[in-house]
Amino acid sequence: MTRLAVFTALYVLPTLGALGCLLYESWHHPRWRSLALLSALDCHATPGCAPGPSYHSAGVEVSLLRVFLSLVVGISSGMWVWSGKTCRSWSSLFTAPRKTNRPVPMTRV
C-alpha cells in the first residue's frame, strides 16, 4: 500500500501541476499575443531595432514547466513498471529453459 501511495503522489502531483500550467497558459494566451504584437509594432516603428521581447511575459517559462512536469510523470511511471520483479520476469521469458539433471531410475533384473 505504501508503494501505491508513493506512486499515486508521484503521478498525481506533477499531473495537477501540468494541468495548472495549461490552464494558466490558456488564460493568459490572448494577453501574451497582444504583447507580442505590440513588441513587434514598436520595433517596426523604431529604426535599427533588433526584434526581441521588450514586454515581459512568462509564456516560455510556464510552457517549459508544463513539459518538465509531463516528463516527470513518464519517468515515475517507468520506474513503477520497470521494477526488479518486472525485469526478472522479462529475462526469464527471453532465456532458454535450463535442463535439470534428474537421476536415472535403476531397473531391476
Side-chain angles (χ1 to χ4, degrees):
M1 287 303 281
T2 304
R3 189 173 174 197
L4 184 62
V6 168
F7 172 73
T8 303
L10 288 176
Y11 190 85
V12 169
L13 294 177
T15 303
L16 289 176
L19 180 65
C21 289
L22 191 62
L23 291 174
Y24 183 82
E25 285 176 347
S26 66
W27 182 265
H28 290 287
H29 185 74
R31 180 176 170 262
W32 293 336
R33 178 175 272 180
S34 63
L35 288 177
L37 179 63
L38 287 175
S39 175
L41 289 175
D42 283 349
C43 189
H44 184 67
T46 307
C49 174
S54 60
Y55 295 97
H56 178 69
S57 69
V60 175
E61 293 87 356
V62 174
S63 296
L64 288 175
L65 179 63
R66 180 177 46 85
V67 169
F68 172 75
L69 290 173
S70 299
L71 291 174
V72 166
V73 168
I75 290 169
S76 65
S77 299
M79 289 174 58
W80 172 267
V81 170
W82 290 105
S83 65
K85 184 178 176 182
T86 306
C87 292
R88 283 189 300 276
S89 298
W90 279 101
S91 68
S92 69
L93 176 71
F94 288 120
T95 56
R98 297 181 182 160
K99 293 183 179 179
T100 58
N101 294 331
R102 286 185 270 164
V104 178
M106 298 186 73
T107 57
R108 285 188 165 178
V109 180

